């Protein structure tokens, strides 16, 4: 009893903890309510954490031009991803140079995630 009381005062919530019963008297968990057919809540949380880490690594490791190209190329700013040709025209450089910068930036990021 003490453990339950102390857990509630800490405002901790567990996804698999029963939160009630349905009309057939089956226990319902928070996970069952939050899940959808597309992705589970665990996958959503995992994706958000990995995305946050990616942005942090981009800030730490990449130079401004590399960040800009990766952001434009993969639509990380919320826009539609752009082709290397589109980025080259925007930045006034050749497509092959965009490709080299993109490859170098991806390599830097992958090394960071391997560590």
């Amino acid at each position: 009893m003490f453990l339950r009381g102390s857990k509630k005062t800490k405002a901790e919530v567990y996804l698999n903890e029963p939160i009630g019963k349905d009309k057939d008297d089956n226990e319902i968990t928070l996970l069952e309510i939050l899940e959808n057919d597309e992705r589970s809540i665990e996958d959503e949380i995992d994706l958000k954490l990995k995305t946050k880490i990616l942005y942090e690594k981009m800030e730490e490791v990449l130079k401004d031009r590399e960040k800009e190209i990766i952001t434009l190329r993969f639509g990380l700013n919320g826009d539609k991803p752009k082709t290397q040709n589109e980025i080259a025209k925007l930045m006034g450089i050749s497509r092959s140079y965009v490709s080299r910068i993109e490859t170098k930036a991806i390599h830097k990021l992958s090394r960071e995630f391997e560590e």
Side-chain angles (χ1 to χ4, degrees):
M1 188 68 165
F2 173 74
L3 269 139
R4 280 192 181 171
S6 67
K7 187 171 25 171
K8 288 182 181 175
T9 59
K10 292 181 183 176
E12 293 177 358
V13 178
Y14 296 94
L15 293 175
N16 291 319
E17 188 173 302
I19 59 170
K21 295 188 179 216
D22 64 8
K23 62 183 177 184
D24 298 327
D25 208 33
N26 298 319
E27 285 190 339
I28 300 174
T29 64
L30 186 58
L31 180 64
E32 291 169 341
I33 292 173
L34 294 176
E35 274 187 334
N36 60 31
D37 293 335
E38 297 168 17
R39 273 195 274 210
S40 71
I41 191 70
E42 288 116 342
D43 291 341
E44 281 292 327
I45 292 169
D46 187 49
L47 178 62
K48 288 189 186 284
L49 290 173
K50 287 179 179 175
T51 302
K52 182 181 179 209
I53 292 169
L54 172 65
Y55 281 109
E56 289 170 358
K57 295 289 183 187
M58 283 177 63
E59 287 297 319
E60 289 174 20
V61 176
L62 300 182
K63 296 177 183 171
D64 289 339
R65 182 172 260 184
E66 293 168 333
K67 269 190 287 193
E68 184 178 3
I69 287 174
I70 293 296
T71 300
L72 292 170
R73 185 76 171 109
F74 297 101
L76 300 180
N77 55 0
D79 292 338
K80 181 181 166 195
K82 297 193 180 327
T83 64
Q84 290 178 345
N85 282 329
E86 292 171 327
I87 296 169
K89 287 177 186 172
L90 277 171
M91 299 181 82
I93 56 179
S94 70
R95 192 223 39 91
S96 62
Y97 191 43
V98 169
S99 177
R100 286 194 306 267
I101 294 171
E102 178 186 338
T103 302
K104 183 178 175 184
I106 290 172
H107 183 68
K108 282 182 178 181
L109 288 171
S110 66
R111 273 194 316 227
E112 281 295 311
F113 281 101
E114 288 172 0
E115 293 176 358

